[in-house]
Amino acid sequence: MTAHEEKTVYPAKAEPGQSGGMAEYQAEYEASQADPAAFWDKIAQRLDWFHPYNSVCQGDFHSVAVNWFANGKLNVAHNCIDRHLKDRADQTAIIWEADDPADNRHISYAELHREVCRLANTLTASGVRRGDRVCIYLPMIPELAFTMLACARIGAIHSIVFAGFSADSLRDRILDCQAKVVVTANEGLRGGRVIALKQITDKAVEGIASVEKVMVVRRTEVEVEMKPGRDVWLHEELAKERAYCPATWMDAEDPLFILYTSGSTGKPKGVLHTTGGYLTYTSFTHERVFGYREGDIYFCAADIGWVTGHSYIIYGPLANGATTIMFESTPLYPDPGRYWEVIERHKVSIFYTAPTAIRALAAEGSSWVEKSDRSSLRVLGTVGEPINPEAWEWYYREVGKERCTIVDTWWQTETGGIMITPQPGVNDLKPGSATLPFYGIQPVIVNEKGEVQEGNGVSGHLCIGRPWPSMARTIWGDHERYLQTYFSTYKGYYFTGDGCRRDDDGYYWITGRVDDVLNVSGHRLGTAEIEASINGSELISESAVVGYPHKIKGTGIFAYVVLNRDAESTDPDVVEFSVREQVSRDIGKIARPDVVLLVKGLPKTRSGKIMRRILRKIAEHEYKKLGNTSTLADPSVVEGLIEAHQAFVEANPG
Ligand code: WTA
């Protein structure tokens, strides 16, 4: 970031309903800090409570036993559907835009209510009870929304697994939460390609005793093997059920869902979110961050397999009675004009996507954008990784024609909702900065020693200073790991794992992960997970994975691999192919290394710890910035690494 870029400022645009601008933000923000209980008590009134809570927030980051809206009773499906029936039964709740651009479906709130009720009754008839886990392995089809809301309706906990994950990844997640039912489809369709979801599910659930039923959505016409007694077609089961099911009274602190995400260790963790605080926060942020107004058509292009889809395709927008688009396809199918075509077709006012998609589309040229009418657009959002100022400018100029507010929203699976972000009509924008904290959020920057960096013009690790309603409450089955991961590094603070700078204006600039988590195309992957997979190959003795700057993906995956003695004569192309295949099989295609570099040895300290800093610098071509290498057990390893990298660069120019 150059000083010049940091000084580029675009003044806030006038937004009806946001006339208070920055002054109002400051007053509201200060109120949220001075008396959080009073502030959130007021905000929580936006939901329907069956029974009032008797305290707003209990606990802090020293005890880490945080409760929001304790003893309050509510139901998420009721808040997202039933309460809207009075005024908007016929309004479209979900526009489903299928893979085939000629195919879309409008689902009204009344229809959503019927579908969700029927599905809830089907789950109950299959023995699913309050607190049971339901694993959802579905592509972006309406049944995915119906199933998650049906779980919420009866108090079952859903665990959605992104449909690009492998059988092994799915299996690990089903085992960890001991799911009783798995919901999948015969096949998925994405970008004209078919994904054999049922086959993958069969492999994943084999021999898992907890799985009593596999429900299969018929997305395509293809027949699949159905195991008698275990597998059922969802449409056949639905036909047996009534379209009415009462919404269970849930406690504000009852679990709503588990979502697995990667951390620094080999095993993904099941981040657990609860009911009252999560819905209050996602619905409030959806309104304020996107400047949502009655009548808006809202399009978040994420996949519901990630947290963005949970919070900002389904729960936040539906709690607000919005019309939300579910998009089954990819930004490049059938051509790079797809997003803009969807925006024109449905007159989208708010569009939310990831920097990687913006970069990929910018690379295709602006002519694709020009083909469609985008005059309905008002707000453009990004999430998932730091957005480089060039991509930001392209989004602002070419897509938004300098008319739209860009909201660069920083948050995490664990935070449940958007934490640092601009708000339309409120603050000035700086390309590349997530700008200012949302109400109730207290960012704290600490240095390596854990000392809080006060004032502006400071940088360090980003922490959060006090609880907020949608924070994760635990890691499923491993509370100790939750405390260890987030609350032990800096006592009394939630540690995000991100590096951060606060500039002279108090604006926040997220600089990326400071732990061993990679953000590849906005997907979170642990280096340890990928290494464990690579090391499973019989050719490989050990490996180290680091991130490197990648033009489209933001971060690319660079794997250094050392061969087993008896495999040393293997053709490097074969090694590369088999490593990539291995990772696809174990985790999924998203985790496949972009570069596989054969090396003789890895740089290790005398105690055997791999010095990743050196590997990162080499992957970035920064041979002269390796820092001190004298603490390596064998400093000569470094020369071998550089030679191997140089040879690779010569063979792969660009
Ligand atoms: C990164 C996605 C910079 C960050 C909602 C975080 C971002 C991780 C931004 C969480 C942003 C997300 N600017 N970095 N606007 N948004 N990140 O759990 O490193 O998939 O820790 O949640 O993505 O990724 P996750």
Side-chain angles (χ1 to χ4, degrees):
M1 188 74 41
T2 65
H4 166 75
E5 278 163 338
E6 197 169 298
K7 287 203 172 69
T8 311
V9 179
Y10 293 94
K13 305 198 183 297
E15 277 275 315
Q18 286 284 26
S19 53
M22 204 44 201
E24 195 173 292
Y25 163 81
Q26 269 159 348
E28 218 174 326
Y29 182 76
E30 269 154 38
S32 76
Q33 297 297 312
D35 190 350
F39 180 84
W40 289 111
D41 186 24
K42 206 169 72 204
I43 302 305
Q45 302 317 311
R46 61 193 293 115
L47 300 184
D48 254 16
W49 295 85
F50 295 145
H51 182 277
Y53 40 85
N54 50 23
S55 82
V56 175
C57 179
Q58 297 162 335
D60 56 35
F61 286 160
H62 291 281
S63 62
V64 205
V66 175
N67 287 320
W68 283 87
F69 310 115
N71 294 316
K73 308 282 183 235
L74 76 166
N75 183 283
V76 166
H78 168 90
N79 273 284
C80 290
I81 310 168
D82 305 34
R83 65 170 174 150
H84 304 313
L85 293 178
K86 195 161 61 64
D87 299 324
R88 48 179 103 239
D90 297 329
Q91 182 200 308
T92 300
I94 297 175
I95 299 175
W96 179 59
E97 169 85 17
D99 197 44
D100 176 352
D103 187 8
N104 59 62
R105 175 178 166 195
H106 288 243
I107 300 156
S108 69
Y109 272 94
E111 191 181 353
L112 182 62
H113 182 249
R114 289 195 297 273
E115 297 286 356
V116 169
C117 283
R118 234 192 271 282
L119 228 152
N121 286 332
T122 303
L123 291 174
T124 305
S126 306
V128 176
R129 298 289 171 264
R130 181 180 183 143
D132 285 346
R133 275 77 59 210
V134 173
C135 174
I136 309 178
Y137 186 61
L138 283 175
M140 288 288 285
I141 55 178
E143 287 79 1
L144 170 52
F146 303 158
T147 310
M148 56 200 289
L149 289 159
C151 288
R153 195 164 190 89
I154 61 172
I157 305 169
H158 62 69
S159 161
I160 302 178
V161 178
F162 172 59
F165 274 122
S166 68
D168 283 346
S169 295
L170 176 60
R171 184 180 178 81
D172 288 346
R173 287 157 173 77
I174 295 171
L175 272 173
D176 187 74
C177 73
Q178 290 288 295
K180 201 168 190 175
V181 167
V182 179
V183 185
T184 188
N186 56 348
E187 290 183 327
L189 283 181
R190 201 157 176 265
R193 278 198 300 268
V194 167
I195 313 160
L197 294 175
K198 175 62 166 62
Q199 248 177 48
I200 298 172
T201 305
D202 284 343
K203 211 169 140 212
V205 300
E206 188 165 351
I208 301 185
S210 73
V211 177
E212 293 172 12
K213 277 233 148 45
V214 174
M215 299 186 177
V216 186
V217 178
R218 194 189 274 286
R219 170 65 185 96
T220 64
E221 293 310 315
V222 82
E223 287 304 329
V224 289
E225 214 176 289
M226 300 290 277
K227 187 171 166 188
R230 188 196 68 186
D231 300 351
V232 293
W233 286 105
L234 186 68
H235 63 276
E236 290 176 4
E237 299 307 300
L238 289 171
K240 300 175 192 161
E241 300 299 333
R242 305 211 289 152
Y244 177 76
C245 165
T248 306
W249 283 37
M250 302 302 293
D251 193 274
E253 279 297 336
D254 276 336
L256 177 64
F257 66 82
I258 301 168
L259 181 56
Y260 287 86
T261 190
S262 299
S264 302
T265 67
K267 193 169 165 274
K269 45 197 178 193
V271 170
L272 183 107
H273 282 288
T274 59
T275 300
Y278 174 81
L279 197 64
T280 302
Y281 195 83
T282 51
S283 118
F284 184 43
T285 45
H286 172 258
E287 179 189 317
R288 294 298 183 93
V289 172
F290 299 107
Y292 171 74
R293 288 189 235 141
E294 191 65 43
D296 277 342
I297 306 292
Y298 168 85
F299 176 19
C300 166
D303 192 290
I304 295 177
W306 311 111
V307 73
T308 303
H310 284 62
S311 299
Y312 298 111
I313 296 177
I314 300 297
Y315 292 121
L318 293 180
N320 292 339
T323 297
T324 182
I325 295 184
M326 261 182 92
F327 179 60
E328 188 183 31
S329 196
T330 82
L332 301 173
Y333 183 77
D335 59 47
R338 184 67 187 271
Y339 278 165
W340 325 122
E341 200 188 303
V342 173
I343 287 168
E344 175 178 313
R345 176 157 45 248
H346 303 295
K347 303 210 167 18
V348 169
S349 17
I350 302 163
F351 177 59
Y352 192 25
T353 187
T356 184
I358 298 170
R359 286 190 298 264
L361 293 170
E364 300 285 342
S366 300
S367 60
W368 290 105
V369 188
E370 298 296 326
K371 284 190 178 155
S372 302
D373 176 17
R374 301 170 323 287
S375 56
S376 56
L377 284 173
R378 204 174 65 237
V379 177
L380 298 170
T382 90
V383 60
E385 43 168 322
I387 182 166
N388 46 315
E390 301 74 28
W392 194 104
E393 294 275 356
W394 185 82
Y395 205 26
Y396 183 70
R397 287 181 206 293
E398 303 301 324
V399 179
K401 284 283 159 227
E402 304 182 30
R403 284 186 308 102
C404 301
T405 299
I406 307 281
V407 289
D408 173 3
T409 65
W410 174 85
W411 58 296
Q412 308 178 295
T413 303
E414 294 86 343
T415 69
I418 295 166
M419 304 283 280
I420 302 182
T421 180
Q423 291 181 49
V426 172
N427 53 310
D428 297 347
L429 305 173
K430 295 188 191 184
S433 168
T435 76
L436 298 171
F438 192 72
Y439 306 116
I441 304 306
Q442 185 186 60
V444 175
I445 296 180
V446 298
N447 67 11
E448 309 245 319
K449 289 187 218 129
E451 295 157 347
V452 173
Q453 306 294 290
E454 306 277 2
N456 292 340
V458 295
S459 58
H461 291 180
L462 178 63
C463 294
I464 306 295
R466 64 154 53 112
W468 66 100
S470 64
M471 60 181 271
R473 299 297 196 269
T474 191
I475 289 173
W476 182 259
D478 199 349
H479 195 62
E480 190 47 43
R481 187 171 171 201
Y482 170 76
L483 300 178
Q484 191 61 35
T485 310
Y486 306 111
F487 302 98
S488 71
T489 319
Y490 303 111
K491 211 72 206 138
Y493 297 105
Y494 165 82
F495 175 46
T496 65
D498 279 330
C500 175
R501 196 154 46 83
R502 186 164 52 222
D503 73 12
D504 293 337
D505 298 323
Y507 271 40
Y508 288 83
W509 299 74
I510 310 296
T511 50
R513 302 288 306 195
V514 294
D515 55 9
D516 293 325
V517 172
L518 305 180
N519 231 311
V520 180
S521 298
H523 299 151
R524 233 169 107 165
L525 297 165
T527 54
E529 260 173 89
I530 304 173
E531 287 162 9
S533 165
I534 296 176
N535 298 348
S537 157
E538 47 196 32
L539 298 174
I540 306 297
S541 96
E542 59 177 345
S543 64
V545 166
V546 296
Y548 72 101
H550 187 286
K551 271 208 276 299
I552 303 288
K553 298 178 171 186
T555 301
I557 303 176
F558 199 114
Y560 293 86
V561 301
V562 181
L563 290 175
N564 270 324
R565 273 219 186 291
D566 52 8
E568 269 171 3
S569 55
T570 318
D571 180 336
D573 289 343
V574 172
V575 176
E576 179 176 345
F577 178 80
S578 84
V579 163
R580 291 167 56 102
E581 279 303 294
Q582 176 91 19
V583 176
S584 283
R585 231 178 5 253
D586 291 344
I587 306 175
K589 281 207 179 97
I590 49 172
R592 249 181 345 194
D594 298 283
V595 180
V596 177
L597 190 66
L598 282 182
V599 294
K600 293 264 178 304
L602 298 172
K604 291 184 185 164
T605 61
R606 283 181 203 102
S607 59
K609 204 170 168 307
I610 295 172
M611 286 182 79
R612 289 166 190 283
R613 171 175 53 86
I614 294 177
L615 296 174
R616 272 194 289 265
K617 288 292 172 208
I618 291 175
E620 289 168 15
H621 292 227
E622 304 271 19
Y623 303 151
K624 295 217 162 62
K625 295 191 187 157
L626 300 184
N628 182 5
T629 55
S630 66
T631 56
L632 288 174
D634 176 9
S636 72
V637 164
V638 174
E639 274 161 47
L641 290 168
I642 294 179
E643 272 167 32
H645 187 257
Q646 276 171 331
F648 165 78
V649 174
E650 274 162 32
N652 299 276

